[in-house]
Structure formats: C-alpha cells, structure tokens
C-alpha cells in the first residue's frame, strides 16, 4: 500500500538514522497499560505549580478543578482516569492558550491534554490521567454555516454533533455524504478516527469527505489545513487518533438530501451467499445507497421483533420462518429517493433484489424519511436508557478484515469462538479501498476489498456469566489472538494496544510517517495520552 508522497519519501531517505533513534527512545519511554477499571494517577501526582499556572490563564471560557468524574469516564466503561482539570472553551484561542501553556512548561512537565467530545470513546482515549481535558462541546465558534452552490459544504466547530449538522443542512435540502451509524458524536471525534457506516463503499469514510480543517497542534499553533494548504497536517490529523492536533473546525462536503428511504432487511442461512451478495452490491455503480450486514447468533422470534418497524413482503411465509437458534446473516439495505421524481423505485429495488440469494420468506421493507433512517440508533438508545442498560461497559472490538481472510474469520469466530449470544450487535460488511484516501493516518488492510467487523457488546454489571465484562474481554482477546496467529492482514479499527511493538505492527510501513508527524506537530507528546501510544516525551539522542 503506497502511503507516502515524494516529500515523505525524500524525508525518510535523508532522515532514516534520525527516525530509528526516535523509535529506540520511544521503546524505552513507553509505559505499560493500566489494568481494567484502574483509576490512573490523580492531580496529586503532579507539581502544585501546574494547577496554579493554569488558573491564571486568561480564558474566554472557564477552567474547573471540581466535579471532574464525568471526564474520567467514557462509553466503553473499561478505563477510568481522573484529570487534574477540565477546560470549557468558548473560543479556539482558549484551546490554543491551554496547549501553548503546557508546551511552554517544557519536557520537565508531565501535564498532558486530551480533547473530549461526547464521551463516546471506548478505551479511555479521550481521558488525560492527572492532566487537562478540553470539553469540546463547549466550543460553539465558529457558528455552523451552510454554503450552497456547485460544491456545497457546511462549516462546523469541532465539538458539534453530527445529528445537529443533519438537522441544519436538511433545511437547505442538503446532507453530508458519509455517516456513522450513531449520530450523537462530535465531528472532531469521528474525524480523528475515520467515521464508517453503510455509505462508505460509495463515498468512503467521513474523513474522505472533508474540504478543510482548523487544527490546534501540540505546540499550540492554530493552523488551517486542506489538500493544498498544510496538506501533511491535514492528512495526518484525519484518522490520526488526536495525536497531531485538536480539530477545532471542519468543512464537510454535502450533497442533495433524499426525501425518502426504502429500508430493507433480508436473511441468509450461510455466510458464503451473504458475503457474495454484499460484494456484488457494492461493485454496482447505481444500486443501493447503503449496504451493511450483521450476524444473528442464537436468536428466536427475530422476524416478529421487526414487524413494528418493517412490513414483510409475504406475511404468511414470514410467519412460518423459524431460525431454530441457528446463526443467521442479515443484509441491511437502503435506497434513497424522491417520491415526486423516482416513480419506478419499487421496480428498481425488485430488480436488484432479484439478483440476490437470500431466504425469500424473510424480505422485510419499510419507508421512512432520511432523518428517521440516519438517526435510527437513537431510538434504541432511548429504550436502553429507560431500562438502565445504556450506561454499562461497552467492551467493543472493531476489525478491518481483508476479503481473502473473511471466510476463515467467519468460520473460526462465528462457529467456534462465539458459542452463544454475543450480547450486542455484530456488524459485518465490505468496503472498496478505492474510495478511501490512502494518505490519511488511518490504517487499513492492503487488499482492495476488506470488511468491517464490529462486535458491539454490552457487559452486564456484576455478571460472572458470558455477558460479564471479563468474559467479553477474554472473548475479544481470543479473536485478536486468532488474527495475530492466522489472519495477518487484519487491522483494528479504533485501535487499542498495550505494547509499543503492537502499535508498530499496527502501523507497519506507516509507522515512520506517523512518528515523523508526531515529532513535527506534537514533539513533547502532549496530546491524546489516553491512546497510550507514547509514554512521556519524544527525545532524539
């Protein structure tokens, strides 16, 4: 996989010895990962001058040293790290001032900075043990603005939620092209990872649909970057896990918004037919607008649960279907359309479905608005909150599996490792690498076609059964060991590792570029300490 341009190649050629020295030093300075639910060092671990110096900075917003426990938690619920303070910025200059101050404290300071969006990270990535957490949702400048025209876009602050962007852009008959399945996430958070959903096969992830960023680097500099301006920083920050800068604003590409969505689900008995149909659909230029799939393990009465939201094509046949607790594979599709223009949408869907090999009695379809479809997970969230099952640990595991390994993966995992209910959805669907920008920091398999496989488990508090946290973590570890030993092309999405050599293996040929960018934009390793990639400072000897 080619990931380096001519400038990068020249740098590596001329600075090979320098980079090797950096890597050696990082190996020596990397700190081991803390145990599950271990409360990492509090403010008492740091010099008393650190809070004093922060308190006297002239922020437009405010700094708090009290009520910090929310910043020690995240959606994953696995790690808890109490910060020294939380900054509620009102301006980009607040963020720049804070980071500049920490940078000026120099290498002798252990103070770190983490940007926190909506708190939906999984492994403590947005936490800063004993350091400073910046609450990005407090940043409301610049105000969201929609620009119409030949190449429409929306300009938003980094702490804005995608659901709010959808509401605002729909007023202009526009919407972003690529999404995550859950919209109550911040722009800066998803762009620091990738942002993947069922539209990625066509438009690439969210990081492929960005025109421009404003970024605060680890030196406190405020820089505007794009494909043509500060392009190395632009590509580095996209998918860069927050290691090179804090995204304070972004220009997101838009397209005309659909009026309605045909939302479809069908089932398969065998994985081979399921995966072949998925791959066929994403190879077509003008077919469905969204293609995802999920695995259903040991579930009965499944179709009855769908009837409140979907209509079966043949109610009689659907009523006779029985899963018998077997593993099934669900193909989920969406076709966007305007009922005033696309009069033949039903015939087109029938034609496309006629090419597939699903179980004929399991065809369910619904017609909803674009907003209802894109915000569908929020409905489930509200139900889980009512039952007290939303704020539980979520030991998720997300993988990118090459096409050449997906059959072996499915056979080993779905038949052997998963012996019962997974206690949460298991997503699995293919994407085309040709739609992804290979200059960003995101790491993907080398093959042209690969699958996202996401184990989105919820752990039941105090349980010692298969739905308990330790048991799910042990299952995840078995899956990771399988990938390490047998499926060498698989990569983690939303990566989490405890050893430096695992991070190096994850980045592979991109590691030296990643290191160079870290040295350029965050040389004291101030930013995003919760990722646990770097221990203390980057020192060149």
């Amino acid at each position: 996989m080619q990931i380096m341009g001519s400038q990068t190649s020249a740098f590596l050629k001329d600075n090979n010895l320098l980079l090797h020295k950096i890597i050696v030093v990082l190996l020596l300075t990397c700190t081991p990962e803390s145990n599950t639910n271990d409360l990492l060092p509090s403010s008492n671990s740091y010099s008393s001058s650190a809070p004093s110096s922060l308190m006297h900075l002239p922020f437009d917003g405010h700094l708090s040293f009290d009520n910090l426990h929310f910043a020690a938690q995240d959606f994953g619920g696995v790690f808890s790290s109490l910060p020294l303070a939380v900054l509620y910025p009102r301006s980009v200059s607040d963020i720049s001032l804070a980071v500049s101050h920490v940078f000026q404290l120099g290498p002798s300071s252990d103070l770190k900075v983490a940007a926190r969006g909506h708190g939906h990270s999984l492994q403590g990535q947005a936490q800063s043990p004993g350091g400073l957490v910046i609450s990005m949702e407090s940043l409301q400048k610049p105000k969201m603005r929609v620009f119409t025209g030949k190449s429409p876009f929306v300009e938003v602050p980094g702490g804005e939620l995608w659901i709010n962007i959808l509401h605002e852009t729909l007023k202009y008959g526009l919407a972003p092209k690529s999404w995550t399945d859950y919209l109550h996430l911040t722009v800066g958070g998803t762009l620091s990872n990738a942002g993947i959903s069922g539209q990625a096969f066509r438009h690439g992830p969210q990081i492929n649909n960005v025109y421009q960023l404003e970024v605060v680097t680890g030196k406190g500099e405020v820089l505007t970057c794009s494909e043509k301006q500060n392009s190395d920083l632009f590509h580095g920050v996209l998918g860069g896990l927050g290691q090179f800068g804090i995204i304070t604003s972004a220009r997101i590409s838009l397209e005309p918004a659909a009026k309605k969505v045909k939302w479809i689900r069908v089932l398969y008995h065998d994985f081979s037919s399921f995966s072949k149909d998925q791959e066929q659909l994403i190879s077509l230029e003008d077919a469905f607008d969204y293609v995802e799939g999920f695995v259903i393990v040991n579930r009965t009465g499944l179709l009855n649960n769908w009837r409140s939201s979907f209509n079966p094509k043949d109610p009689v046949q659907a009523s006779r279907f029985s899963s018998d607790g077997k593993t099934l594979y669900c193909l989920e599709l969406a076709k966007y359309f305007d009922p005033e223009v696309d009069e033949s949408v039903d015939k087109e869907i029938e034609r496309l479905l006629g090419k597939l090999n699903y179980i004929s009695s399991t065809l369910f379809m619904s017609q909803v608005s674009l907003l209802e479809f894109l915000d569908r997970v929020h409905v489930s969230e509200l139900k889980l909150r009512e039952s007290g099952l939303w704020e539980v640990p979520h030991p998720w595991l997300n993988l990118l599996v090459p096409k050449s390994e997906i059959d072996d993966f499915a056979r080993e995992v779905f038949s052997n490792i998963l012996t019962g209910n997974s206690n949460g959805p298991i997503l699995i669907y293919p994407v085309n690498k040709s739609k992804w920008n290979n200059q960003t920091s995101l790491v993907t398999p080398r093959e042209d076609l690969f699958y996202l496989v996401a184990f989105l488990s919820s752990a039941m508090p105090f349980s010692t059964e298969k739905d308990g946290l330790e048991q799910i973590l042990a299952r995840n570890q078995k899956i990771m060991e399988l990938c390490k030993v047998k499926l060498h092309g698989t990569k983690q999405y939303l990566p989490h590792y405890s050893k430096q050599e695992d991070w190096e293996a994850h980045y592979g040929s991109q590691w030296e570029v990643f290191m160079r960018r870290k040295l350029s934009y965050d040389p004291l390793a101030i930013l995003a300490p919760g990722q646990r990639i770097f221990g203390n400072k980057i020192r060149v000897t």
Side-chain angles (χ1 to χ4, degrees), residues 28 100 115-116 127 147 149 175 223 234 243 245 329 335 340 344 377 402 414 416 466 491 493 499 533:
L28 295 175
S100 295
R116 186 182 195 273
Q127 297 173 22
F147 295 80
L223 297 176
F234 180 71
Q243 292 298 316
Y329 305 94
K335 182 72 172 175
E340 296 179 3
S344 61
V377 177
F414 303 142
N416 297 327
K466 290 183 179 180
K491 296 290 185 181
Y493 174 58
K499 298 178 181 178
I533 303 176

Side-chain angles (χ1 to χ4, degrees), residues 305-376:
N305 293 334
W306 289 356
R307 289 175 186 272
S308 60
S309 303
F310 294 85
N311 298 314
K313 181 180 180 181
D314 188 333
V316 175
Q317 288 296 321
S319 66
R320 295 173 180 171
F321 176 80
S322 175
S323 62
D324 296 324
K326 297 177 181 177
T327 297
L328 298 170
Y329 305 94
C330 177
L331 177 59
E332 189 166 36
L333 308 166
K335 182 72 172 175
Y336 300 168
F337 72 105
D338 183 343
E340 296 179 3
V341 177
D342 303 317
E343 297 179 357
S344 61
V345 64
D346 289 327
K347 290 183 178 179
E348 176 64 10
I349 290 174
E350 187 175 352
R351 182 186 68 81
L352 291 169
L353 292 176
K355 300 179 179 181
L356 307 181
N357 295 299
Y358 59 89
I359 304 168
S360 59
S361 61
T362 64
L363 173 57
F364 277 65
M365 189 180 303
S366 178
Q367 181 170 307
V368 295
S369 68
L370 182 66
L371 176 61
E372 288 175 296
F373 174 70
L374 292 176
D375 199 30
R376 62 199 178 279

Side-chain angles (χ1 to χ4, degrees), residues 238-290:
L238 294 172
L241 307 179
Q243 292 298 316
F244 313 120
I246 297 171
I247 297 172
T248 52
S249 74
R251 289 184 176 180
I252 310 297
S253 175
L254 301 176
E255 66 177 359
K259 296 288 197 310
K260 293 290 183 178
V261 177
K262 293 284 187 180
W263 185 8
I264 303 160
R265 284 180 178 174
V266 294
L267 290 177
Y268 291 75
H269 280 305
D270 68 288
F271 182 79
S272 178
S273 298
F274 167 72
S275 59
K276 286 179 181 177
D277 280 357
Q278 281 190 315
E279 291 172 19
Q280 176 190 355
L281 288 173
I282 71 167
S283 70
L284 302 175
E285 284 298 321
D286 187 22
F288 291 100
D289 298 283
Y290 165 98

Side-chain angles (χ1 to χ4, degrees), residues 381-389:
E381 175 192 351
L382 295 176
K383 293 178 180 178
L384 290 170
R385 284 189 182 278
E386 286 180 4
S387 58
L389 295 177

